[in-house]
Amino acid sequence: MATSFAPVAWHHLQLDLPGHWEVVAYRKDPRNGEIALADRAGEALRAFWRVMQNRPVLKPPLIDLIAAQEEIALDKTEIRRRLVEIGDWLAFLPRERELPCFAAYYHPPAQALLNLTFPPHPDTADRGLIRRILRSWRPNDGPERRWAAFGLDVTLPEAMRLDGVSAMPAAQVLTFENKREEVVALHRYGMVPLILGGDDLAGFCARIKGRRTALHRAGHFRKDDRHDGVILEYTTRGKGGLDSLLARIWLGRIWVWRCDDSKRLYILDHHAPEKNHIAGFPDRVRVR
């Protein structure tokens, strides 16, 4: 059966990966972190990144990394001979399927050293799959950054930095915040309509936001010309006392819709002064 692919985008990485691989570990640090993906057969990929002040030399440390693996009984001369260039990557793809594979690349615009490690896995025993993954890499360091994981897929301005991740089996939430404390949150829920518990879309959002937030209906919209949704709004002002009288009003705007074909429900929540709201925000979100 042909493998279907889906994008995974996280900090400095944008890759097309087998759709059945799922994120099982991650770090939020944009300067020094990792993300791992696996399926029922085990871990399939672990990606690392580190922002470097100076451009590193790739080949010697990559050879040292490979030589340090107990299961790889090759001397450094043979490892060096087996290194190949695939797209932007310097890679070690041994013929022996029981051995791990490695790839490294330094991306100058972001000063990011990237390393992909592929443990032995039934999917990547086909080295052609690894070659396809490496060639699919795109930079993720411009004024607009893509985030695609846990079934959520959005492009946001660089200033919006990843702040929180909640990845439960039927409820995934990614939260982003900029230096002005303006917030964007993306929610994805499964088991629709069961999860609604008799509520409509507005009632479900009210339950998620809690009793302290007064939501008001602001209209309707249609996501991707396929899914009917509701727009809700709320306002905040200061933290109480005299502060609340003098502080600017911030507008919270929520777009919520359900996808009956996939039995999922999505919520986009944007909280900021109205003049700072991201234009066309729902169009930045891709639904799979």
Side-chain angles (χ1 to χ4, degrees):
M1 183 180 297
T3 300
S4 62
F5 287 79
V8 170
W10 198 262
H11 287 298
H12 306 284
L13 297 164
Q14 284 194 79
L15 296 167
D16 294 331
L17 301 177
H20 59 278
W21 291 7
E22 296 183 353
V23 176
V24 294
Y26 61 87
R27 288 180 63 184
K28 297 187 295 181
D29 189 343
R31 300 188 61 84
N32 185 9
E34 64 186 282
I35 187 169
L37 293 101
D39 66 3
R40 293 181 180 179
E43 188 171 306
L45 168 63
R46 189 169 288 262
F48 303 86
W49 59 87
R50 179 175 295 180
V51 174
M52 313 284 287
Q53 272 192 325
N54 300 309
R55 184 180 188 122
V57 178
L58 283 185
K59 193 170 288 186
L62 180 58
I63 292 173
D64 289 343
L65 172 65
I66 297 166
Q69 309 303 311
E70 292 184 1
E71 62 268 45
I72 298 179
L74 299 173
D75 61 31
K76 291 186 178 182
T77 300
E78 179 61 18
I79 293 172
R80 180 183 297 270
R81 191 184 67 81
R82 292 198 187 191
L83 293 180
V84 295
E85 292 185 0
I86 303 173
D88 294 316
W89 298 82
L90 185 64
F92 174 74
L93 307 183
R95 294 181 295 271
E96 301 84 355
R97 295 187 173 189
E98 68 277 8
L99 296 182
C101 298
F102 300 88
Y105 170 60
Y106 177 71
H107 183 54
Q111 296 182 295
L113 175 63
L114 310 175
N115 166 243
L116 304 183
T117 297
F118 297 88
H121 187 278
D123 290 346
T124 53
D126 174 8
R127 303 313 196 205
L129 176 64
I130 296 179
R131 291 176 182 272
R132 173 169 176 172
I133 290 171
L134 295 178
R135 292 192 178 105
S136 76
W137 178 84
R138 287 93 64 199
N140 198 26
D141 58 357
E144 299 282 326
R145 306 289 174 89
R146 188 175 185 180
W147 298 89
F150 309 109
L152 294 165
D153 189 344
V154 64
T155 299
L156 293 172
E158 175 191 3
M160 281 293 178
R161 299 301 180 97
L162 182 65
D163 182 62
V165 180
S166 176
M168 304 298 288
Q172 299 84 39
V173 184
L174 297 180
T175 306
F176 302 84
E177 185 173 320
N178 62 20
K179 291 181 179 180
R180 299 190 296 263
E181 298 185 345
E182 298 165 356
V183 175
V184 163
L186 292 84
H187 302 240
R188 175 180 181 261
Y189 298 94
M191 300 190 300
V192 174
L194 181 63
I195 197 171
L196 291 172
D199 288 331
D200 61 7
L201 296 179
F204 181 78
C205 277
R207 184 161 23 115
I208 295 296
K209 292 296 291 183
R211 294 182 178 180
R212 293 185 178 182
T213 303
L215 299 180
H216 307 279
R217 293 179 184 266
H220 296 83
F221 74 108
R222 191 165 175 82
K223 174 62 176 166
D224 299 334
D225 291 325
R226 295 174 54 205
H227 309 294
D228 292 323
V230 177
I231 302 172
L232 306 169
E233 291 182 348
Y234 59 96
T235 57
T236 61
R237 189 176 207 171
K239 298 182 179 179
L242 186 59
D243 242 5
S244 64
L245 296 177
L246 302 177
R248 292 183 302 166
I249 294 176
W250 282 34
L251 175 68
R253 183 171 287 133
I254 295 174
W255 296 263
V256 54
W257 72 95
R258 54 189 283 181
C259 300
D260 290 324
D261 51 350
S262 61
K263 298 188 183 302
R264 294 193 177 101
L265 182 148
Y266 294 83
I267 297 174
L268 312 181
D269 189 344
H270 191 5
H271 181 236
E274 186 170 12
K275 67 177 182 178
N276 293 343
H277 272 230
I278 300 170
F281 180 38
D283 296 331
R284 291 171 169 265
V285 178
R286 304 164 190 86
V287 174
R288 298 196 296 273

